[in-house]
Amino acid sequence: MTQTTEAAEQAPRTGKKPRRIHRAWFVAAVTFVTIIGAAAFRSLPGLLIDPLHEDFGWSRGTIGAAVSINLALYGLTAPFAAALMDRYGIRRVVAVALTVIAVGSGLTVWMTAAWQLLLCWGLLVGLGSGSMALAFAATVTNRWFTERRGLVTGILTAASASGQLIFLPVLSWMVEKHDWRPAAVTVSLAALAVVPFVWLLLRDHPADVGLKPYGATEFVPKPEPVPGAARRAVSVLFKAARTGPFWLLAGTFAICGASTNGLIQTHFVPAAHDHGMPITAAASLLAVIGVFDVVGTIASGWFTDRFDARRLLAVYYALRGVSLLFLPMLLGPSVHPPMLFFIVFYGLDWVATVPPTVALCREHYGDDSAIVFGWVLASHQVGAALVAFVGGVVRDVFGEYDMIWYASGALCAAAALMALVIRRRPTALVPAVA
């Protein structure tokens, strides 16, 4: 079967037409659907802050701490998950991760104390989601594609935004009309529903089905499983940490996480609600961000294949910082045109930073780029976790969020400058990716 498939890929145009669509695109499609299904857990935290505060009397700082643990583990688990995928395969790691997410989210229905929120939503969902992080998309892209990598990275990154678009309106309606518990159960079921797709349709490497990676000129054998996943992840970190580009990429991506997952995704809905906007209206605005996030991220992938990734990052961060400085003046009880302009603008820029960041990791770190990106993603989530917690504390202390908007805008300006000083490395020095 393997030889037949390989022959079909390389057969000349005689008689029957060769298969036109490479298997890599089907693998990318399954990955896209998987990330959409797992995106439900990312849609929920911002919707839970007010309901949990009202139900249990927990402070926003306490709830923000659970979100912080979740976000931090989401990032810190990623490099180890990338190494585990090299050891045990993509399918096994992702299937287990989705099951852990389902268990963690489902158990929150019975919680009665704050430590249980920290355990279920913080620890379990954080560990599961970390294994489903963008390092998953980077691993699939590195293995299955040698061409169109920027575009594919953009499409897979946009999957998370697509999931947010699908789940946010539904979950916000559940929280407002019924309770937060049905929303938690929905997240659990969504994660479980994707497991069969992963197990039956996803393949770890093109060599598993006798194919070359998309765009490759030669057949690439499947590498042997790499033992010592944790040791490899740590050794790659120490190796990368001795280079300047790693710290610049980690620093810019930490600010990216602070200004997206930690700030807008966690605190936009309660901040808008503070100004009299209904929760469903605020959640719908986040969903609109998801719509334009898809457009912006795919476009960013296309740009990354054609333009200097460093300059793209500088433009993205600068524009994001400017938009955040205007946000406190735009919040109000109703949705008006300037607010819609901010939402569209922020959506286009939301994770447009991912394709150029992945491209720079690949340019500098070659075969280790997926694991290096996992560590860069860890910095993204640490930044997100810090702002998710600090944002809740700022709201508890000052009664408003304005200070955190302005501080995040200033950080984005710093990230733009950092991106410009990342040095280039000649493409010829990058090892071929297996």
Side-chain angles (χ1 to χ4, degrees), residues 252 259 296 300 303-304 307-324 345-346 348-353 356-357 360 409 411-422:
T252 56
S259 55
S300 178
F303 290 143
T304 301
F307 302 106
D308 186 340
R310 302 171 305 160
R311 295 180 180 178
L312 289 176
L313 286 179
V315 171
Y316 297 155
Y317 286 121
L319 294 176
R320 183 182 300 180
V322 171
S323 66
L324 283 173
F345 191 85
Y346 214 83
L348 291 172
D349 190 75
W350 183 266
V351 286
T353 56
T357 301
L360 288 169
L411 285 174
C412 288
L417 295 175
M418 292 165 67
L420 288 175
V421 300
I422 298 173

Side-chain angles (χ1 to χ4, degrees), residues 271-278 327-336 339:
H273 190 55
D274 284 347
H275 287 77
M277 186 180 293
L327 181 57
M329 296 179 282
L330 302 178
L331 290 170
S334 61
V335 179
H336 46 82
M339 172 58 79

Side-chain angles (χ1 to χ4, degrees), residues 229-248:
R231 183 172 61 253
R232 184 183 176 211
V234 174
S235 66
V236 169
L237 170 63
F238 283 128
K239 181 180 178 182
R242 292 195 291 269
T243 66
F246 173 79
W247 292 107
L248 291 169

Side-chain angles (χ1 to χ4, degrees), residues 71-115:
L71 292 173
L73 288 176
Y74 178 89
L76 293 172
T77 305
F80 296 98
L84 285 171
M85 289 176 190
D86 288 340
R87 176 68 178 88
Y88 297 106
I90 298 174
R91 286 195 305 169
R92 293 178 182 176
V93 173
V94 174
V96 171
L98 287 166
T99 303
V100 172
I101 291 171
V103 171
S105 181
L107 288 176
T108 59
V109 173
W110 290 283
M111 67 182 179
T112 57
W115 68 266

